[in-house]
């Protein structure tokens, strides 16, 4: 089995490559250092030659709506066309829990990605992942106001580790196409503001977290349950405390 992984050097992509190799499959990494997603038709044809499966875990260079829309429109269209020409039997993409409810910003771009995959003749699976611990940490580091406050929406989340997301993506990839969506979420529920405060405290960051219902999240304003998965979501294993201990 030959699996091409687009976005193979990213946070989830690099871990997905490892997990796929644990399954004993041949993995062909496909990544673009400039994050443009602008592989030529010849590049894609060469990478996908003989491929059985394509796993797309690429990400836009910015969560801004115009940038992310353009990125996924361009890169996904090219990758799907190349997969169809190569006779790929399964196309797996990574999306975001809550994308169907948050119709603006980065989430609008993720919905575009999902729609493109559903309309393609290539058999597909969509993995919607909950917010990762790593993402919470990265956002907290970036979101600093002059007064030392970090403003975070008090939305409920069930965060998962990037390792657990990668494991789920790899498991779906080596199985039969879902022709639908699998949601992946962590075993614990937090308020996003509370989780951010705990993470900052655990890492020695003294900044104060302020719950702000109007704080933007990837270009969208969150409601209380916007980021929660459905009841039948796959439950990842790693808890917040376990993730902290592994950092």
């Amino acid at each position: 089995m030959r699996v091409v992984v687009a976005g193979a050097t990213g946070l989830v992509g690099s871990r997905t490559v490892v997990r796929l190799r644990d399954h004993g499959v041949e993995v062909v990494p496909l990544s673009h250092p400039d994050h443009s997603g602008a592989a030529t038709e010849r590049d894609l044809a060469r990478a996908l030659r003989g491929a059985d499966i394509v796993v797309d875990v690429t990400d836009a260079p910015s969560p801004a709506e115009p940038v992310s829309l353009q990125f996924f429109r361009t890169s996904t269209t090219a990758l799907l066309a190349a997969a169809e020409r190569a006779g790929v039997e399964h196309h797996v993409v990574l999306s975001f829990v809550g994308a169907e409810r948050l119709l603006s910003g980065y989430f609008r771009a993720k919905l575009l990605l999902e729609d493109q995959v559903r309309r393609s003749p290539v058999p597909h699976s969509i993995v919607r992942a909950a917010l990762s611990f790593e993402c919470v940490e990265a956002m907290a580091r970036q979101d600093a106001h002059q007064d030392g406050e970090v403003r975070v929406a008090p939305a409920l989340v069930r965060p998962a580790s990037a390792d657990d997301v990668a494991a789920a993506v790899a498991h779906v990839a080596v199985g039969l196409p879902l022709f639908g969506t699998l949601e992946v979420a962590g075993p614990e529920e937090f308020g996003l503001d509370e989780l951010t405060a705990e993470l900052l405290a655990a890492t020695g960051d003294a900044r104060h977290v302020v719950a702000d219902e109007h704080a933007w999240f990837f270009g969208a304003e969150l409601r209380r349950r916007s980021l929660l998965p459905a009841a039948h979501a796959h439950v990842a294993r790693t808890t917040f405390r376990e993730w902290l201990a592994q950092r």
Side-chain angles (χ1 to χ4, degrees):
M1 183 182 292
R2 182 180 173 91
V3 184
V4 173
V5 179
T9 58
L11 176 66
V12 174
S14 59
R15 291 164 169 82
T16 301
V17 168
V18 172
R19 293 289 189 166
L20 285 167
R21 286 175 174 156
D22 288 343
H23 282 281
V25 303
E26 178 188 0
V27 178
V28 179
L30 177 63
S31 60
H32 304 284
D34 63 355
H35 301 289
S36 68
T40 66
E41 184 175 318
R42 181 177 297 178
D43 291 336
L44 290 172
R46 184 182 300 114
L48 270 63
R49 187 177 297 120
D52 302 292
I53 301 164
V54 171
V55 175
D56 183 4
V57 287
T58 55
D59 205 1
S62 166
E65 186 171 314
V67 176
S68 54
L69 278 172
Q70 180 61 32
F71 175 85
F72 287 120
R73 182 178 292 113
T74 301
S75 64
T76 306
T77 298
L79 191 56
L80 284 168
E84 183 180 355
R85 287 192 297 268
V88 167
E89 299 173 358
H90 189 186
H91 191 106
V92 182
V93 293
L94 181 62
S95 189
F96 210 118
V97 165
E100 79 283 12
R101 294 185 291 272
L102 296 165
L103 306 178
S104 61
Y106 180 74
F107 298 97
R108 185 178 168 206
K110 281 294 187 180
L111 284 178
L112 170 67
L113 164 70
E114 292 185 13
D115 184 57
Q116 288 175 293
V117 170
R118 289 192 187 96
R119 288 189 287 107
S120 168
V122 181
H124 73 273
S125 297
I126 297 168
V127 179
R128 283 183 181 162
L131 183 66
S132 70
F133 298 124
E134 291 86 352
C135 185
V136 175
E137 182 177 29
M139 289 189 301
R141 286 177 176 172
Q142 295 171 1
D143 187 18
H145 294 266
Q146 290 184 351
D147 54 8
E149 292 182 342
V150 179
R151 295 189 173 272
V152 182
L156 296 174
V157 292
R158 281 180 49 193
S161 73
D163 281 331
D164 285 344
V165 172
V169 170
H171 181 75
V172 168
V174 299
L176 295 174
L178 300 175
F179 291 97
T181 302
L182 174 72
E183 292 190 325
V184 180
E188 303 167 297
E189 186 173 289
F190 299 88
L192 182 54
D193 55 325
E194 298 165 346
L195 177 64
T196 303
E198 283 197 46
L199 194 151
L200 291 181
T203 55
D205 192 323
R207 287 178 295 158
H208 178 58
V209 175
V210 177
D212 182 354
E213 293 182 354
H214 302 294
W216 287 94
F217 180 83
F218 289 151
E221 189 168 310
L222 302 178
R223 300 190 180 215
R224 182 68 170 165
R225 303 183 66 83
S226 296
L227 297 177
L228 288 181
H232 59 273
H234 170 76
V235 180
R237 298 175 58 183
T238 307
T239 67
F240 178 54
R241 293 302 168 193
E242 290 169 341
W243 177 80
L244 279 178
Q246 295 167 6
R247 289 176 75 254

